[in-house]
Amino acid sequence: MLLSVFVFNCQTTTNKKVTRLTPEEFQSSLNNNSVQLIDVRKPSEYVTGYIPNAVNIDFLSDDFTSNIDKLNKQKPVYIYCRSGKRSGKSAIEFEKAGFTKIYDLEGGILNWMSKGLPIESK
């Protein structure tokens, strides 16, 4: 039981600068053109389907930190991954990099697609 509590706490973001949004809340917020939408999955995952207008910055890549440093820290950043684990971990890195408005898609793109929300593919 203690292990499950530890695992659960590692997968969630408890930071006040990070807000977890449902797919519907996330989609509603994306209608604002001043957001930065970041897909933190591997490029091979990204090409199979992504939220329209998302930019792929692989959380597991060696240059993740340098890539997020190129983004505007004053604009809100919306992040997602497959199921929410990597985006939760990447949210911590966004905060360390100086971002103050960080929004994480609850349940990742799997949850997004389960709601029938739009995706694109290359």
Side-chain angles (χ1 to χ4, degrees):
M1 184 170 176
L2 182 59
L3 178 61
S4 64
V5 170
F6 176 76
V7 170
F8 178 76
N9 285 335
C10 288
Q11 293 176 359
T12 61
T13 49
T14 57
N15 195 309
K16 293 183 181 186
K17 294 180 183 177
V18 180
T19 304
R20 293 192 75 165
L21 299 175
T22 66
E24 296 83 3
E25 293 167 331
F26 201 84
Q27 182 187 39
S28 177
S29 297
L30 294 179
N31 293 330
N32 179 347
N33 291 330
S34 66
V35 304
Q36 301 170 104
L37 177 59
I38 310 299
D39 183 321
V40 297
R41 297 176 297 159
K42 295 178 185 177
S44 60
E45 295 172 289
Y46 174 79
V47 297
T48 64
Y50 53 90
I51 298 173
N53 302 313
V55 174
N56 184 224
I57 302 177
D58 181 1
F59 174 65
L60 300 175
S61 70
D62 292 337
D63 58 355
F64 178 76
T65 303
S66 64
N67 283 329
I68 66 172
D69 280 338
K70 296 173 187 173
L71 300 172
N72 185 337
K73 293 177 176 65
Q74 304 308 312
K75 285 186 174 183
V77 64
Y78 287 72
I79 56 177
Y80 70 93
C81 63
R82 181 180 171 273
S83 64
K85 292 178 185 172
R86 281 176 280 179
S87 61
K89 292 176 183 178
S90 70
I92 295 166
E93 298 305 314
F94 276 95
E95 184 194 359
K96 286 179 186 176
F99 291 83
T100 57
K101 297 174 189 165
I102 306 163
Y103 300 90
D104 184 10
L105 175 58
E106 181 180 274
I109 198 164
L110 291 178
N111 194 18
W112 176 274
M113 291 188 307
S114 77
K115 305 294 183 188
L117 297 171
I119 62 166
E120 293 180 355
S121 59
K122 292 194 178 215

